[in-house]
Amino acid sequence: MMLTGARILMECLLEQGVDTVFGYPGGAVLNLYDALFEYRAKIRHVRTAHEQAAAHAADGYARASGKTGVCIATSGPGATNLVTGIATAYADSVPMVAITGNVARPLLGKNSFQEVEITAITRPVTKKSIPVQDVSELANVVREAFFLANSGRKGPVLIDIPKDVSAQTAEYVPAPRRSPEQSPPPSRESLRRAAAMLSESERPLLYGGGGVIAADAEREFARLAETLDAPVSCSLMCQGGFDQKDARYLGMLGMHGTKASAEAMKNCDLLIAVGTRFSDRVLCDAGRFARNCRILQIDIDPKEFGKNVGVDLRLQGDVKAVLGELLPLLTQRRHETWMQCAEQWKRDYPMRQQGQGAEDVLPQDVMEALCRLAGPEAILTTEVGQHQMWAAQFASFRNPRTFLTSGGLGTMGFGLGAAIGAKTAMPERTVVNIAGDGSFRMNCAELSTLSRERIPVLELIFSNSTLGMVRQWQKLFYGGRFSASDVEDAIDCEKLAQAFGVRAMTIHCKSEIEQVLSEALNCGEPVLVNCPVGKDLNVLPMVPSTGSVEEPILAMDE
């Protein structure tokens, strides 16, 4: 059948199972939005207050559901406003298809109104950026974009559609959805060598990264831990990839990881790294990382082997598939003394924040109460800063895809858009965004999206009138010179929320934590909870970027 480019796009989105797109209209995408109106019974459109939030919402939708997120923006500034969100998804390997409009083809390259070469701008932060030259190419380009976004190491793909292409007509022929390309399994010899390495280890430490969740491999990862009889640590991106109520779990590893994980790293004889890229926030001083052990790395991306740290054996492939091949080669191990050491380290170095007074509000108490009240199926998103680390340290994640955070790019402003996407994808689940003052100022206009779309997300702000993580570094390394890090101003976030049509409340003291959170979680509407905390609360443990991950700072002299 003959269809316009805009309608071909809609039909291809339906082919790919898309039910929701996030975006903001503009001149170059008016044909697309006219088609969205026609297809509104099949494809929901959520208009955010800013294009960056549309990209973050598509990202959050993908992380929460495991499907591919989709966002749309117009040309020029609309397209460039997506770039931070696209880069965020790229850094964390999130499948996304970003669709931009552009000026009509005769105007390309002439510095036309709202024209940028968005495919060139986004090439470094996408798996592929594809300009559509003719309407006859459009259907295959869309299909290729979804295929690429989900093949191998997942990530974002951008499609740029000139306005006249979306108006042209062409023959549309339906096609079935193409399955993602599967990575070939490791050789049998490599698997046998890995099995031998695992059987020889007396003090194994299992370390999981975001690839565990991306591959839906949490069950295989848990079976590996049980079969090896090994303690487990996870990266920031793997929170929820292993049940944190399991006695084997030691906490995060890295710059703000637990002392128990640091001790396990120092004393293990084999580190089994699964689906992780060994980021600088985990390694800190790479020269002093894992000095006393061998490393077995399992990852889908061959570029990650040896990039940041040398490894003794590599197994390339999809984590779920590799573990599926490896587990039958292993026999049940028992490491009672090693596991007793791990348990003792957890007792010796508990995670506990200290306040000055009995009624002081501490993030640890808030996060523990939130998790207890919201339950293990709740999805927590975060902005970036101290609050992000407090959420990772003190919340208890028992299921995958319940902690959505910007790990690689560290994007302030990510969380509220991601919460909008997560709640849209999983409407039956409780969704809470954890924020700080600085991040809240970056995306507070998205409260209008919550209100207009009636999306019942809880926005929880740890407000301390400062850029807390910046202040903490200035305290430690810049002589206490707090240059531009205080954000004491006249903003009343409760009144601001109410102006947007969002309910607001405040936790004033420790005894109010449970009552306020319970009311907020059960009100059935968008709600903001302001939670003032002390300006000089720190995120501890902490490893300086030049320090050894095995020797974290446990206390700071104020």
Side-chain angles (χ1 to χ4, degrees), residues 235-436:
S235 72
L236 182 70
M237 294 303 300
C238 193
Q239 299 299 291
F242 187 81
D243 184 354
Q244 296 181 359
K245 294 291 187 182
D246 192 302
R248 299 184 185 281
Y249 188 64
L250 301 179
M252 282 198 305
L253 181 69
M255 183 172 284
H256 294 295
T258 63
K259 177 65 171 173
S261 288
E263 288 295 314
M265 168 61 71
K266 184 190 299 185
N267 290 279
C268 72
D269 63 9
L270 176 64
L271 176 67
I272 306 103
V274 182
T276 181
R277 61 187 178 87
F278 288 122
S279 81
D280 57 298
R281 284 299 177 103
V282 170
L283 300 180
C284 296
D285 181 356
R288 290 188 279 171
F289 182 81
R291 290 168 291 174
N292 305 315
C293 67
R294 295 190 292 173
I295 300 177
L296 166 62
Q297 185 178 4
I298 303 171
D299 202 85
I300 197 168
D301 188 350
K303 296 192 294 294
E304 293 300 338
F305 295 118
K307 185 177 80 173
N308 296 326
V309 65
V311 300
D312 296 274
L313 181 62
R314 58 186 70 178
L315 295 179
Q316 183 194 339
D318 175 82
V319 167
K320 188 180 185 74
V322 172
L323 293 183
E325 296 278 346
L326 182 60
L327 281 164
L329 303 180
L330 304 178
T331 56
Q332 181 65 53
R333 302 302 309 280
R334 287 285 178 261
H335 300 115
E336 293 182 5
T337 301
W338 176 234
M339 290 304 299
Q340 288 168 4
C341 288
E343 190 61 39
Q344 187 62 49
W345 289 323
K346 287 197 291 184
R347 288 194 293 269
D348 289 345
Y349 304 106
M351 295 287 287
R352 184 65 230 172
Q353 286 184 316
Q354 300 297 326
Q356 298 297 315
E359 278 297 295
D360 284 0
V361 177
L362 297 176
Q364 179 171 4
D365 295 330
V366 175
M367 293 309 307
E368 289 174 353
L370 176 65
C371 289
R372 185 170 61 255
L373 293 168
E377 297 295 326
I379 297 171
L380 303 189
T381 66
T382 80
E383 310 296 344
V384 170
Q386 286 183 314
H387 60 276
Q388 175 192 32
M389 293 299 113
W390 289 329
Q393 290 177 331
F394 300 127
S396 182
F397 299 102
R398 307 199 63 185
N399 297 293
R401 303 189 184 280
T402 55
F403 182 65
L404 316 184
T405 196
S406 173
L409 198 64
T411 306
M412 293 176 70
F414 166 81
L416 187 49
I420 289 168
K423 185 65 177 179
T424 304
M426 313 296 283
E428 74 288 355
R429 306 272 283 276
T430 297
V431 177
V432 182
N433 181 47
I434 313 298

Side-chain angles (χ1 to χ4, degrees), residues 1-8 11 39 135 167-172:
M1 57 184 139
M2 296 295 292
L3 298 177
T4 64
R7 290 192 63 193
I8 288 172
E11 291 292 338
Y39 282 74
V135 69
Q168 284 182 320
T169 57
E171 182 72 20
Y172 165 71

Side-chain angles (χ1 to χ4, degrees), residues 95 109 112 142 196 229 262 282 322 338 416 461 500 514 522 552:
S112 303
V142 175
D229 194 25
V282 170
V322 172
W338 176 234
L416 187 49
I461 306 172
F500 280 118
E514 194 124 352
N522 291 294

